[in-house]
Amino acid sequence: MNVPRATGVIAVVVVEGTAAMTAAVSLTRRAVGRAALIGGLLCAVAACGNGTEKAGTQSRTPWQEPASYSYTLRSSEGERALLGSFRITVRDGDVIKAQGLDDSGRRLVEDAPDSVPTLRELLAELEQARRDDADTAEAQYAADGHPVSISLDWEKNAIDDEARYDISAYEPGDR
């Protein structure tokens, strides 16, 4: 039996540069079709995401900052003043109460209380990082649209320019 052979290049590229493969092979036409199907499935699975929004993606629920809310912030990574854990209360766009929950947080609240951010300010920092073409400017959002984590890294190969914000215990309204 004479099986027709095709020589081709198979390329599989996985989103965000996590894997890339190119190979020149001699295959049957059926094998080429299967390889293309598998490659397409790999790309589709990689593109499904994990709840992380990348620059240019607008699939999340828009979030409007309520008149008042409270949340817990754990700020980590990098060399910067805003490090530690905090319980923050916001009213009319301003932090009206900030409590440091660990040594770093207590020091910051005592020394520089104005540097404790609202969620709106954290989102503005994310958007600025995106405009500045930071290497990493990612966020994850809750179903109502408020952020639950923000990861920033302005230069991939620079040390201590990262920022990570984990937001929990978000409570809208007067509490």
Side-chain angles (χ1 to χ4, degrees):
M1 182 167 148
N2 188 5
V3 177
R5 299 194 86 55
T7 300
V9 175
I10 297 173
V12 176
V13 178
V14 178
V15 175
E16 296 181 26
T18 56
M21 175 180 71
T22 304
V25 294
S26 178
L27 299 169
T28 66
R29 289 193 175 123
R30 180 176 283 170
V32 170
R34 285 183 185 153
L37 177 63
I38 290 169
L41 288 172
L42 284 172
C43 289
V45 168
C48 285
N50 58 5
T52 300
E53 176 183 295
K54 306 291 185 212
T57 303
Q58 296 299 322
S59 61
R60 69 180 177 92
T61 302
W63 181 72
Q64 295 292 320
E65 184 178 46
S68 64
Y69 62 94
S70 58
Y71 72 103
T72 299
L73 172 66
R74 187 173 63 85
S75 176
S76 61
E77 299 184 19
E79 289 289 328
R80 55 204 174 83
L82 183 62
L83 292 173
S85 295
F86 310 86
R87 183 68 186 160
I88 301 165
T89 303
V90 176
R91 183 164 291 131
D92 297 324
D94 294 317
V95 173
I96 61 165
K97 182 179 179 185
Q99 176 186 6
L101 302 177
D102 59 10
D103 288 341
S104 296
R106 284 187 285 276
R107 265 191 309 277
L108 182 79
V109 168
E110 185 177 307
D111 296 343
D114 291 340
S115 62
V116 177
T118 65
L119 291 178
R120 178 182 36 81
E121 291 168 329
L122 292 176
L123 290 170
E125 185 178 354
L126 170 67
E127 291 307 316
Q128 185 62 52
R130 288 177 174 167
R131 283 191 299 274
D132 292 345
D133 200 26
D135 282 316
T136 302
E138 301 173 349
Q140 293 182 336
Y141 299 90
D144 71 354
H146 80 271
V148 294
S149 74
I150 297 172
S151 296
L152 307 172
D153 187 357
W154 282 263
E155 294 184 38
K156 185 177 182 176
N157 295 325
I159 297 173
D160 292 334
D161 70 332
E162 305 86 6
R164 176 157 178 100
Y165 303 113
D166 293 304
I167 294 107
S168 61
Y170 170 76
E171 298 175 12
D174 291 322
R175 301 215 187 247

